[in-house]
Structures are given as structure tokens and as C-alpha cells.
Amino acid sequence: MTFQSNDQLDFILENGEAWLQYAARKHILEEDEASLTALRQQALADPKIKACLADITNYHSIRVTNHKNPDLPIHKLLFLLDIGLDDAPEIGMATAQILEHKDTNGVYQSLTNIPKHYGGTGEDVFGWCLCDAPLLLLALLKAGVDYEQHIRHGVEYLAAFHKEGGFPCIASQEFGKFRGPGRKDDCCPNACLTMLKLLAAIPEYRGSAVAENTAMGLLSLWENSRERHPYMFYMGTDFRKLKAPTMWYDIVSVVETLSRFEAVVSDARFVEMLSLIKSKQDANGLFTPESVYLKCKDWDFGQKKSPSPYLTYVCYRTFARAEALQVG
């Protein structure tokens, strides 16, 4: 992990809560898991972490009506997995419930209610959209679920929807005629982003033409951000504000995802996006959120007044990943 100096890492370790200290020592310092036992227990005892774990144990308790909602179990599950709590019993309970709802194409489903005036049935049904289905497959993969038995079929099915420039807005047949507010022939930026998150985690897809073409599609949107905003996904002022966690379509989320692809990290457009994030550091190399999710107000990244240990951690992990691929 490359920091400007040890000051940024010290800031994370000294000011971050136990769950972030655990993540930093595990993922940045790569300390032995046995040496982190006490810290891990502190992380699991954190009230906010306990609440997240409790929420995912009843995985389908919240209907997916707004993919930007940080209360959705999928976002909490991926957050918990990303900070290294993959073997918590609650993770297993959540993944078991996800596995219970799979269609014949190997794609896992979420409980959703699409109103009739949007082309749906107006009833609670299990189905999927391309802006949520890849995340369920990603969560299963990160949780250690067997790839060949439970994941490959769905990945292959979703990857086949690729078209020039990325992925379109696709919803399963259970949702009737529903699709997002955009031209049918356009690729959906958020569907592209969620598919890239999934493909980046699978070695055989990470360097594929499908992944590279989709990533280049997002870079093209950045290059033409004033003129192009398919499905109302803009790369304007709000997009460029620093925000955490990385669960939606914003500059930190997009750059964090793109930083995983070797074909992308030396592209001038990616470098420009990365440089914009770096330009927002304070004099100590730290990052303060410029936009927040109101439901995250109790977290260090849920305020805009002072540097966030977690946002700083996410940004530096992204920089290091990109630098490693550029050198490699």
C-alpha cells in the first residue's frame, strides 16, 4: 500500500473505529489473522457492525425499490465482506437466503415491487435487474460460495447481455415491461458498473474483451460527460463529489472499480479521474466527504466537516491498486 507518508496510515489506525482498524491491518498491513483475533472481536462488538449483521440475517426483509438505498441488505453485506468479516455466522445466514431464490438461468433474485404504471405487476415478486443481480453473485463469490456449483451459470448468462460499449438496462420477466428512464438502445451506466464489479472479481473475466469494452464505455462517458448521460446517469457536479461507501454511481465508486483492470489504469481518462480525486486531499493527504448518505450519519463517512478515516482508506487502497497494475 502506497501512502504519501506514514501519517495517512497512522490516521486510519488511530482515528478509525475497531472495524476499520481491523480492515486496515488485514488488507493494508497484511497482518496474520491470528494476531488480529482481539481486534476482530472488538469490530464485531461495534454497535453499527452488530446492526449491519443483524439486518442481513433476514435478507429479504426489505423490498428493493431504490437501488441507492444504503439500508438494502446487499449493500450492508458487501460492506461487511469488504472489511474482512466474511466468516461471521450472519454472513452465512444471508448467503443461504440468497441461494434460495435463483431462476432457471442461474441468476439470483431480489424481492421487488414494480408499480403497474412503470410496467410491473404492482405486487411483491422475486426477480432481478442488471443493477442488482451482479451484486448478489459478487456477494456469494466473496463469501466463499462454490463458484462452479452456484455462481458460474449466472455470470455466463448475465455476461451474454454485453453489447458494444457495455450492458443495457435489463430486467427479468417477472418485472413485466419495466426498464429504466432512457433510450432502449443505450447502455446503462449503473448496470455497466455493477457488472464490472462482478467481472473484476473473476480472473477469467477480469482481462476479457467484455470487461475491457465495458470499462472503456464508462471512460467514454467521462470523456463526453457534458453531452452524454444515458438513463439519467450524469458525470457532473454531484458525481464528482467524494462519497462513501462505494455502493452507487459516483467518482469514488467508478474509479475504485476501474482500478482493478490492467487495460484501464494507464488510460488518460482514468488517470484524469484518479487525479481529480487526489486533488481533493487536504494538506495532510486526508479525504473529507463532500456528499453523504443521510442514513449513514452515524458513520465517520456520514459527515462533511472533517476527514473520514474510511474514505481515506478506500481512496488509498484504490491508488495502490492502480499503481500496482501500472507498474506491472
Side-chain angles (χ1 to χ4, degrees):
M1 171 63 66
T2 302
F3 287 91
Q4 288 183 349
S5 69
N6 288 331
D7 292 344
Q8 293 83 41
L9 180 56
D10 289 344
F11 171 76
I12 292 169
L13 294 175
E14 293 172 7
N15 295 276
E17 295 179 273
W19 57 268
L20 181 55
Q21 295 178 39
Y22 173 74
R25 292 190 178 280
K26 182 173 182 175
H27 297 307
I28 297 177
L29 297 177
E30 299 181 344
E31 294 182 7
D32 182 76
E33 187 68 32
S35 69
L36 297 174
T37 301
L39 186 56
R40 183 180 182 279
Q41 291 305 313
Q42 292 178 43
L44 291 170
D46 181 284
K48 295 187 294 297
I49 296 298
K50 288 175 70 175
C52 285
L53 289 166
D55 288 343
I56 66 171
T57 59
N58 189 4
Y59 186 83
H60 296 295
S61 61
I62 299 179
R63 291 181 302 180
V64 180
T65 57
N66 175 7
H67 293 98
K68 198 177 180 180
N69 178 7
D71 278 344
L72 291 180
I74 185 58
H75 296 318
K76 294 183 178 183
L77 176 57
L78 286 170
F79 174 77
L80 292 165
L81 288 166
D82 189 58
I83 62 175
L85 299 177
D86 46 288
D87 59 349
E90 294 87 348
I91 300 287
M93 295 171 67
T95 56
Q97 292 174 59
I98 292 174
L99 290 169
E100 291 175 356
H101 295 277
K102 180 173 69 171
D103 68 12
T104 56
N105 300 304
V107 182
Y108 294 92
Q109 303 164 308
S110 299
L111 181 63
T112 310
N113 189 315
I114 306 295
K116 290 183 178 180
H117 58 274
Y118 285 131
T121 64
E123 300 177 354
D124 288 358
V125 294
F126 279 92
W128 58 265
C129 297
L130 204 54
C131 48
D132 60 29
L135 299 181
L136 272 67
L137 288 162
L138 176 60
L140 294 176
L141 185 65
K142 287 179 173 258
V145 173
D146 184 82
Y147 180 76
E148 294 297 333
Q149 184 176 358
H150 296 289
I151 299 172
R152 178 184 289 279
H153 185 195
V155 173
E156 291 178 345
Y157 181 76
L158 294 183
F161 284 109
H162 176 263
K163 56 188 285 186
E164 180 59 34
F167 288 85
C169 177
I170 295 289
S172 63
Q173 61 183 3
E174 291 84 1
F175 295 160
K177 298 180 180 180
F178 170 77
R179 68 177 181 84
R183 290 170 40 186
K184 186 176 181 180
D185 293 336
D186 282 341
C187 291
C188 171
N190 199 43
C192 292
L193 180 60
T194 55
M195 279 300 298
L196 282 174
K197 288 182 178 183
L198 173 61
L199 300 180
I202 306 171
E204 66 187 86
Y205 281 100
R206 192 181 304 127
S208 68
V210 168
E212 181 176 348
N213 181 259
T214 303
M216 293 302 169
L218 287 181
L219 291 179
S220 177
L221 291 178
W222 172 261
E223 184 179 11
N224 300 282
S225 60
R226 291 183 178 275
E227 297 82 27
R228 296 178 59 197
H229 34 81
Y231 287 92
M232 299 177 68
F233 282 100
Y234 292 77
M235 282 185 165
T237 302
D238 287 342
F239 173 89
R240 298 172 191 228
K241 293 178 179 178
L242 303 184
K243 193 171 188 177
T246 53
M247 49 160 273
W248 192 240
Y249 187 74
D250 55 65
I251 192 166
V252 176
S253 295
V254 169
V255 171
E256 194 275 340
T257 300
L258 291 178
S259 70
R260 301 173 185 274
F261 297 95
E262 187 173 0
V264 170
V265 293
S266 295
D267 188 287
R269 296 165 297 182
F270 173 81
V271 173
E272 183 180 36
M273 296 176 78
L274 195 70
S275 297
L276 178 58
I277 294 176
K278 290 182 177 180
S279 74
K280 295 172 182 280
Q281 298 172 90
D282 66 17
N284 297 313
L286 309 177
F287 293 91
T288 298
E290 298 174 310
S291 178
V292 299
Y293 297 101
L294 294 179
K295 292 182 178 181
C296 297
K297 60 184 177 62
D298 294 330
W299 299 79
D300 72 59
F301 47 84
Q303 51 76 43
K304 298 184 285 186
K305 296 181 179 180
S306 59
S308 159
Y310 178 69
L311 177 61
T312 299
Y313 166 81
V314 170
C315 289
Y316 275 101
R317 281 189 79 190
T318 300
F319 302 159
R321 189 184 301 117
E323 289 169 9
L325 287 180
Q326 288 166 349
V327 171

